[in-house]
Amino acid sequence: MNDKISKISGLMRSQLRISGRDLHVQYRRAGRLLPRTVRRDIRYLLDTAALGDNPKLARMINQDKISRAHHNTVAYLQGLDPKAQMWTRVLNVAASIALALIVVFVVILFVLVQRGFV
């Protein structure tokens, strides 16, 4: 179980660039960067890891559900492209700046037309 959690932690560190001492901290920091289903799977893995420490409670763990949750999370994280995410962020910032400049230009032009300068 710990190797699955450490693998997911390493993937979050490399693919999403989210640092933290363990998966629980990374999970909290990731927030809405992860889809709801992946967040639910990570939450289940973290909860069952706590149960796995107690021998009597460890029998309650559903191994099939753990393997599905691990597989879904790893598949999602491996499918991410950090370079594409960086370029998407850069383009979003550039688009926001361009939109703000266009709005300012239109407002200035409107004021100049209303005052009769243009």
Side-chain angles (χ1 to χ4, degrees):
M1 183 68 172
N2 287 334
D3 59 337
K4 291 179 181 182
I5 289 177
S6 64
K7 181 176 181 178
I8 292 173
S9 178
L11 283 172
M12 286 183 73
R13 187 172 288 115
S14 66
Q15 297 296 94
L16 291 176
R17 302 192 194 297
I18 296 175
S19 60
R21 58 185 162 89
D22 60 355
L23 183 60
H24 191 271
V25 173
Q26 290 174 327
Y27 170 76
R28 280 188 295 140
R29 287 183 182 168
R32 296 183 72 180
L33 290 175
L34 298 171
R36 182 181 303 153
T37 56
V38 174
R39 284 194 314 253
R40 187 176 352 138
D41 288 340
I42 292 175
R43 179 84 261 157
Y44 181 75
L45 289 171
L46 290 171
D47 291 343
T48 55
L51 287 177
D53 294 338
N54 188 329
K56 286 188 178 183
L57 296 177
R59 289 183 277 177
M60 294 173 38
I61 297 173
N62 185 352
Q63 294 298 327
D64 292 334
K65 192 170 180 183
I66 287 177
S67 63
R68 267 185 280 141
H70 177 259
H71 175 72
N72 292 341
T73 305
V74 169
Y76 175 77
L77 290 174
Q78 286 178 343
L80 295 177
D81 184 16
K83 284 187 178 183
Q85 288 177 343
M86 181 198 60
W87 278 110
T88 301
R89 285 188 202 125
V90 167
L91 290 175
N92 284 339
V93 168
S96 298
I97 291 171
L99 179 65
L101 289 174
I102 290 171
V103 168
V104 167
F105 178 73
V106 167
V107 168
I108 289 173
L109 189 63
F110 178 75
V111 169
L112 289 176
V113 168
Q114 290 296 321
R115 294 197 175 203
F117 293 113
V118 176

